[in-house]
Structures are given as C-alpha cells and as structure tokens.
Amino acid sequence: MNRFADVILPLPLYRYFTYRIPDEMQGRLRQGHRVVVSFGRSKFYTAIVVALHDMEPQGYEVKEIATLLDDEPIVLRTQLNFWQWIAEYYLCSVGDVYKAALPSGLKLESETSLTINNDYEEDVDNRLTEREAVLLQTLAGQGRLTVQELEKATGLRNTLPVLRRLVEREAVFVTERMRVNYKPKTEVCVRLTFEQGNHEALRAAFDLVGRAKQQEVLLLSFLDLSHFMQKGCYVEVSRSELLARADVSPAVLAGLVNKGVMETYKREVSRFVPLVHRSVELPRLSDEQSRALGEIYGSLGDKSVSLLHGVTSSGKTEIYIHIINNILQQGRQVLYLVPEIALTTQLTERLQRVFGDKLLIYHSRFSDNERVEIWYKMLRSREPRVVLGVRSSVFLPFHDMGFVIVDEEHEPSYKQYDPAPRYHARSAAIVLAGMYGAKVLLGSATPSIESYYNALTGKYGLVELLVRYSNNPLPDVRTIDMREQRRRRQVKGNFSQALIDAMQGALKREEQIILFQNRRGFAPMVECRECAWIPKCTQCDVSLTYHKRDNRLVCHYCGYSCEIPHVCPACLQATIEVRGFGTERIEEDVEEMFPDVKMARMDLDTTRSRNAYQEIIDDFASGKSKILVGTQMVTKGLDFDRVSVVGILSADTMLSFPDFRAYERAFQMMSQVAGRSGRGKSRGEVLLQTSQPELPIIGQVIAHDYIGMYQEQILQRQQFGYPPFTRLVYIYLKHRDEAVLDTLSQQYATLLRKVFGERVLGPDNPPVARIQSLYIRKIMLKVEIAASMSQVKDLLRKIYENSLADSRFKQLVLYYDVDPM
C-alpha cells in the first residue's frame, strides 16, 4: 500500500514535494489526479500527483493531502513525461510547465480572506482608530471577506497597514478558502413526471389540461420535440426551445409544473456551437501535389520528421487535409499547429467542411471555461480527432496521437517568450510526437535555416513543391528606389507614385490590396526639431510610440502611456514633430487617398477583442473591405483569391535589428507577404519600397531565391558558431540598481567561464536594457548540439547556488532562454 505521493505544485520550484496519503484515499489516488495540498503558511494549491510510493522523506514533517478533486486523473502519463522534458530542456521548473499547460479553470485558487475574532476585547490603553473600527464593524456584519471585498464594502483604500495592526492584535484572523474557477455551462430542461410508455399517465395529463388550451399546446409541443411517443429515441428538451415552439410564456410552463405534469432540471451543455457535418469530399490534388504527398509518405517511412518546402500558394493545405483524413481513418488523432490565431480563423471553415465535428479548435482567445471544456473532450474520449491550434495546443491530453503538422514552421510566434516555460512549439511537438510514436510534417515556403539544414543533412526528410497550384506564376516583385523617388518628388506621404498607380489599377479591376508595414502605431518616434529631445518611457529604456487615434504616446513593452506634449520640455519650444510611420499612419494616408474605399487594419491594437480576427478576415475575404493594412500578422499563410497588389512599405527597417537572424527573418517576412499576391487566376504584383535596392536580400526576394539566401546565411552561421551548428542559451539578469547589476553580472559570467570556458560571451546590454524599471544584462552561452541539456541545467543550477554566497544575488531576477528566437 502506497503511503506517500509526490506532487507538482504550480510554483517555480525545481523539485517535487511529498505528501502523506490519507486512509480514505488509499486505492483511489492515481498518477495524474488533482489534489489540494497545503504549502507554506496556510496557502492551499491544486497539485498534480506524479508518483506514489512508500519512502517517507527525512528531515521534515510530511503534511497530508487535504482533498482529492476528481474521480479520474485529468493529466495523462505521457503529458507528465512531456512536462518533465520541457522543464529539463528549457531550464525551468516543472511547476512553471504545469502553470502553462493546465487551463486556469482546472486550478483551484487559494483566496486570502479575513474574519473577525468574536472574543476580541478592545484595550482601553490602545483604542481603535476610526478606520480600524469601521473595518471591524463591517467584518462583524458580513462575516468572511477578502481584502478587496472589504475595501469595496467600506469605501476605504490602502487598508493593508490597518489590517496588519488588527491581525497583530488578534482582532482579525486571516484564513484561506479555495475558489473554483471552472463552472460548467448548464441549461434548464423539461421532462414529464412519468416514464416514457406510461399511456395512462399521459391520458391523465391531457385530462388535467383539457380546459387550459395553452398548457395543452405546450404538452403537445413537448411530445413532438422529445419524440416521447417513439420508443427508444427520446430527446432531451430545453425550456427555451419548448417555449419557443409552443409560443407561450414561462407562466404556462409553471402551471404544468404546479399540476405535477412536468418538472425542470439542469444539464451540462457545450459552450461551442456544433460544427457543421462533413459536406464535401477531399480536395482533388494536382499531379505535383500527388507527387509531393507520395514523397512525404515515403520519407516518413524511415524518418520521424519530414520538411515540406512548398512555395506560397502551392497547395500545402490540401496535402495536409489528405494526410489528416488518412490518420483519422486509422482511428488516431492529429495535431495541426499554426502560428497565429488569425490562421485558425481562416482554416476552420475549410477543415469543418471535410471533417465536421471531428475538428476541435484551441487557442488563447477562448475563455478559461471553454478551454477546460476542450480539455475534458480530449481527456474523456479516445475517438479520432484533429486539433487545430496555436502553440499551447501541445499541452492537450492526447490519447493516441498519430500525426503532427507544424504549418509555417519558420514562424517566431511558435516561441514562448514570457513567462516560463520559454519553449518552442515546433521542437516540443517533435518530442511529443516521438512519445506517441507519431510522425511530424513541417511545412513552409521559407523554412527556418535550422530545419532546412536538418533536411539537407538527412536528419529530416525533404520534399519540395516549387510550383504554384494550377501552375500559376509567382508574383512579379518590383523594387522602388525611395531615394530616387524622393529626388524626383514622386513620393506622396509614405507612398511612391508607382505604388499609388498600382493600387488605383487594382481597385479599378475590383481587386484587393495588402499593405505591409512591420510597425504598429502612428509613428515610431516623436522628436523635438530644435534640440532632438525624444520622449522615453519612465520604466523602460525605449522611446514612446505615438498613437494618433488615442492622441497618446505609448510604450509597447510595459503599456505606460502619456499625452504628447505641445511644448518640448527640454528647450520649451513648440517644435515637437513625429518621425517615421506605423500601420495607424498608413491607414490614415490610405483613407485620404481613397476616401470611398473600405479598408481594414490588422495589428495588435485592432485584434485585442475575441472576434476581431474573424471580423477583419471575413470582411476582406468577402470583398467588403478592399485594402488590408497590417504588421507581420498579414504575412502568415492567409489565403485571399482577389489580392493582386502587395505593397511592402519599408523593407529597410526589418534589417536594422541587432540579431543574427535579422537577415533570415526579413527575407521570410517579405517573401511571405509577397506570396499573398496572385493566388487567383491573374499574376500578382509586389512593390517593394526601399532606400537600399543594392542589398543582396532585395535581389533574393525579387528572384524568390530561398536557396541563395540559405547558402549565404549557413556559411556565416558556421563561421561564427551560431545555430544550427551550436545551441544557444541566453541568461538574463535583472535588477533595479544598475550599478549592482553590472557588478553581479560580471561576477556571474566569471563563475560561468570557470565551467564553460570560451562558450560564454558577455555580459552585454540587450537592445532594450530596461523594462518595467528593471535593468537587464544578457550573457550568451553556446553549447554543442550533442550536449545533454539535463547536464547543462544541473551545472547552471550549481553555479547559481554557489553565487548565492553573495547575498545581493537573492534580489536578482535570473532566468534562461534556450534556443532564443
């Protein structure tokens, strides 16, 4: 009999904690169960059981598990193994992984609340203040309240110091209670008070309502909706549906309930509208697509991962659909990863038509309750399904994963930045698939250099699809030299005359336009023309971006905002002006040039609401809006037949970022957004505005020369020891005092070099060296590809523990980013 359980707590702790199993849980408790445990000072957490055993820990008193929350485990064994791998590889705690993996609705939260001590007597020598008396009086009247509830009830603010004094006097007790986040959706249903087939009771019911015509109509409507008279096919009837069918008021139903003919009850229902049933056959494949599909199956015969390098509009999605159908017919499950919620929006309808209710969608715009419902659907059913989702979908409970598709595999959106775990969904999905014995297909028109290298060296299979569907030509890419255009005074605002002419032509032909600018806001910089003063964030080391719609300056790192000054605070002159341009300014310029044309903007500012993606994409796909302005969101695999012109408004800004991936990423973004053009019958046109047309990358984009870009970059990566030839680990150190941070970061780098030698570079200032009042330093660690990340983690952990000998390290924030993007 197992007497102890090791559990994962939702805290950044690097080990499991052991609890005693109560007698009443013996034989019931299993790996993957949720339990409530006490940790720290009366704090309660929802923990996940990872192991059962008889080994009693030594050196401390073992607490007992407080509550078992479920009849069945809610986390599968494979998921727990996957969590452990992520913690080991990405150098974080398994508690961090648990917090990211499990929907919030499945985690009970401990809520601090206050209760009055009824035995408290006021000390005559230490009278209560007026604020203390008000707080105690309110608690006496309402019993248990949280701090927030107490402040709301009394109208007082900043009560924590007062409450602390009351707790010290033992006038108030602090307690913890558990708050349940997930609430299943229910609806009220109606049923008869007698069993189906009881004809005598039914006749008696009609006799009771014989003189009440509306009740009689309601009873007849119920019999029709419920199929009550048809043996073996009874259907539950909701109250709202019944009242609508009978066209009567709720009072009529209440009358039947009072007569004992009917009764109401609640049932759990799905929060999701039922998906359409399969209505179309599989898409027909061209000869090239059929060849590629056959090569994919062939390459996956001896490789676990294959890369499909298919140019934009080559029909990769149709190939994916055939693979998904094959896996579902085998009775297995498929994970289909996309980098952006916008892509789930556009793909959903296509996949629904083929797979109907076998399709599930999962992303962060769903509420906690909706995500819990999908979690339970996957957990409680082994039926074949395809899950379409963003990176967090890798954490769902798959029973029998048979295939993983990672579409647009090159996208940096697959990387989680903050908070931990800082995982890459592509790499994580490959490992997860291996745990199920599943195969993986990576797809992209512009693969990441690492993936293409792995394919060329034989680690992955490689399939190329280098012609567009129906042999449509790739778009014609034209370079617009903005220096020459300005010299000739052929620039209007931020648009060359050539781009304006192309847009006018497309609109006359009833075609559509996409304009790409990878900066949101109205202008990236505000500056004083006289003294060059630039407004900066008070908490971050960045200049503020001007948003004209709100007439405010905004920090895109911490959210700080302020009004734009009318007078320069440095030289006191009215010479403040905006420099550069973002999507908001482009939108304004387009509205001035084409006032009668409906347009849309897609960036972080316009897609915050849940249905924003859907509305923007639906309007553009249906032709309601003719021009779409956007950031990199518009580059990611969107498919619009009527787009004939794409304008890339400032190619140069993409190359200015100080990162070894800047060249690769700029090529990918420009090539991808260019690929949105000419997906219909006519050849598309792409106009690329640049002040540096002589750059090699411009020629590569014009020629659609991915291979040339790859060959140039892979030589540089090998020469300087960057991925795929090494693995990078960035070590970030943060502190409020810059001088202390400089000292500690140098000290920490010295400790690292004693173990890792020349593999350590830095510390250096990152591009943004202060965020939310914390100064930042970065140390780069280059690790051999063959090195064990588990051993690296152990070494880093020991170095950090040794550094704690200097007490200043305890105030330091330190974390790791493995395989940074």
Side-chain angles (χ1 to χ4, degrees), residues 388-406:
L388 173 65
V390 293
R391 60 175 181 253
S392 58
S393 304
V394 298
F395 293 118
L396 284 169
F398 291 88
H399 283 282
D400 187 15
M401 180 183 285
F403 206 89
V404 176
I405 296 165
V406 184

Side-chain angles (χ1 to χ4, degrees), residues 42 47 101 197 286 323 336 378 400-401 406 431 525 565 582 593 599 615 635 668 670 698 700 772 793:
S42 302
S286 66
I323 293 171
Y336 187 159
M378 294 295 293
D400 187 15
M401 180 183 285
V406 184
V431 170
M525 190 171 73
M593 286 189 289
M599 65 168 300
E615 292 166 2
T635 72
Q668 289 167 339
M670 287 190 278
I698 304 298
Q700 291 163 351
Q772 295 181 344
K793 181 179 180 179

Side-chain angles (χ1 to χ4, degrees), residues 724-766:
F725 302 101
T726 60
R727 178 174 289 123
L728 297 185
V729 179
Y730 288 171
I731 304 168
Y732 289 96
L733 303 95
K734 297 182 179 181
H735 199 282
R736 293 192 180 277
D737 187 318
E738 187 172 19
V740 172
L741 178 62
D742 284 331
T743 301
L744 295 183
S745 59
Q746 291 288 351
Q747 193 173 316
Y748 194 69
T750 301
L751 291 172
L752 288 170
R753 287 190 180 94
K754 289 179 180 179
V755 176
F756 294 103
E758 295 181 356
R759 300 178 184 88
V760 179
L761 303 175
D764 298 308
N765 287 7

Side-chain angles (χ1 to χ4, degrees), residues 361-570:
I361 301 100
Y362 190 79
H363 57 66
S364 60
R365 289 293 168 91
F366 285 157
S367 68
D368 281 340
N369 285 330
E370 288 169 327
R371 279 182 277 178
V372 171
E373 188 169 315
I374 293 172
W375 185 282
Y376 277 134
K377 276 187 179 180
M378 294 295 293
L379 183 69
R380 293 168 178 169
S381 172
R382 294 177 174 270
E383 65 181 274
R385 289 188 184 278
V386 53
V387 175
L388 173 65
V390 293
R391 60 175 181 253
S392 58
S393 304
V394 298
F395 293 118
L396 284 169
F398 291 88
H399 283 282
D400 187 15
M401 180 183 285
F403 206 89
V404 176
I405 296 165
V406 184
D407 196 18
E408 308 295 343
E409 65 84 29
H410 66 278
E411 274 293 337
S413 300
Y414 281 123
K415 174 72 173 179
Q416 163 75 13
Y417 290 98
D418 278 312
R422 296 171 178 83
Y423 68 100
H424 196 297
R426 179 190 61 208
S427 303
I430 290 171
V431 170
L432 181 66
M435 292 178 175
Y436 286 94
K439 302 292 186 177
V440 180
L441 179 63
L442 311 177
S444 176
T446 54
S448 66
I449 286 176
E450 289 91 332
S451 292
Y452 201 70
Y453 175 82
N454 285 335
L456 291 181
T457 54
K459 182 177 179 180
Y460 298 165
L462 177 62
V463 178
E464 310 248 38
L465 185 59
L466 303 180
V467 295
R468 282 186 151 189
Y469 186 74
S470 299
N471 290 312
N472 285 350
L474 287 164
D476 177 28
V477 183
R478 292 166 49 199
T479 304
I480 309 298
D481 186 342
M482 294 302 286
R483 292 175 303 187
E484 183 68 16
Q485 291 281 301
R486 290 191 182 94
R487 189 180 66 80
R488 296 183 179 184
R489 298 186 177 179
Q490 293 182 335
V491 176
K492 184 177 180 181
N494 299 295
F495 291 80
S496 63
Q497 189 59 49
L499 178 54
I500 294 171
D501 293 342
M503 292 170 67
Q504 289 173 334
L507 293 172
K508 284 180 182 178
R509 297 188 301 269
E510 293 294 314
E511 295 169 344
Q512 292 175 298
I513 301 155
I514 291 178
L515 300 174
F516 170 60
Q517 169 64 3
N518 203 31
R519 285 184 185 273
R520 61 188 174 102
F522 186 82
M525 190 171 73
V526 173
E527 186 178 44
C528 174
R529 188 173 64 251
E530 285 293 320
C531 70
W533 173 84
I534 297 172
K536 291 195 172 185
C537 177
T538 59
Q539 303 177 76
C540 307
D541 190 18
V542 292
S543 58
L544 299 173
T545 300
Y546 177 49
H547 287 248
K548 188 173 183 180
R549 290 272 169 110
D550 302 322
N551 194 32
R552 295 187 73 79
L553 296 168
V554 178
C555 174
H556 288 172
Y557 284 85
C558 72
Y560 166 81
S561 70
C562 64
E563 292 184 359
I564 185 168
H566 300 293
V567 175
C568 173

Side-chain angles (χ1 to χ4, degrees), residues 667-714:
F667 177 88
Q668 289 167 339
M669 281 197 284
M670 287 190 278
S671 297
Q672 288 287 341
V673 75
R676 301 314 109 207
S677 176
R679 300 173 80 90
K681 295 179 181 178
S682 59
R683 187 179 190 185
E685 184 179 14
V686 180
L687 289 94
L688 194 158
Q689 296 186 167
T690 177
S691 298
Q692 305 176 76
E694 68 281 358
L695 290 175
I697 191 172
I698 304 298
Q700 291 163 351
V701 172
I702 291 171
H704 308 284
D705 185 14
Y706 171 82
I707 302 300
M709 184 280 295
Y710 169 82
Q711 290 174 340
E712 179 182 320
Q713 288 299 297
I714 200 71

Side-chain angles (χ1 to χ4, degrees), residues 182-318:
Y182 173 62
K183 293 181 181 178
K185 184 179 179 180
T186 60
E187 71 175 357
V188 178
C189 290
V190 180
R191 62 190 171 206
L192 296 178
T193 55
F194 46 87
E195 296 294 326
Q196 190 176 12
N198 189 339
H199 297 293
E200 289 185 11
L202 185 59
R203 279 194 294 270
F206 274 107
D207 289 342
L208 274 174
V209 302
R211 293 183 179 182
K213 292 301 180 186
Q214 285 190 318
Q215 291 183 359
E216 186 177 47
V217 168
L218 189 70
L219 182 55
L220 286 169
S221 298
F222 175 83
L223 295 176
D224 181 34
L225 287 170
S226 66
H227 301 167
F228 193 83
M229 305 304 292
Q230 301 173 33
K231 191 174 182 179
C233 57
Y234 178 77
V235 176
E236 288 185 287
V237 178
S238 72
R239 178 173 63 182
S240 58
E241 184 183 15
L242 178 59
L243 293 176
R245 171 65 69 88
D247 193 21
V248 298
S249 69
V252 178
L253 174 59
L256 280 175
V257 171
N258 290 335
K259 289 179 179 180
V261 176
M262 287 184 170
E263 61 185 8
T264 59
Y265 64 98
K266 288 184 179 180
R267 68 166 178 175
E268 281 191 32
V269 293
S270 174
R271 286 181 165 81
F272 299 95
V273 177
L275 300 181
V276 296
H277 291 292
R278 176 171 174 166
S279 59
V280 298
E281 297 300 318
L282 292 174
R284 294 188 62 182
L285 299 182
S286 66
D287 291 344
E288 277 295 298
Q289 287 173 315
S290 297
R291 173 196 59 77
L293 180 60
E295 289 185 12
I296 289 168
Y297 285 136
S299 70
L300 290 174
D302 59 349
K303 297 279 196 309
S304 57
V305 182
S306 190
L307 173 65
L308 173 59
H309 177 206
V311 296
T312 56
S313 195
S314 58
K316 296 186 288 294
T317 304
E318 285 77 11

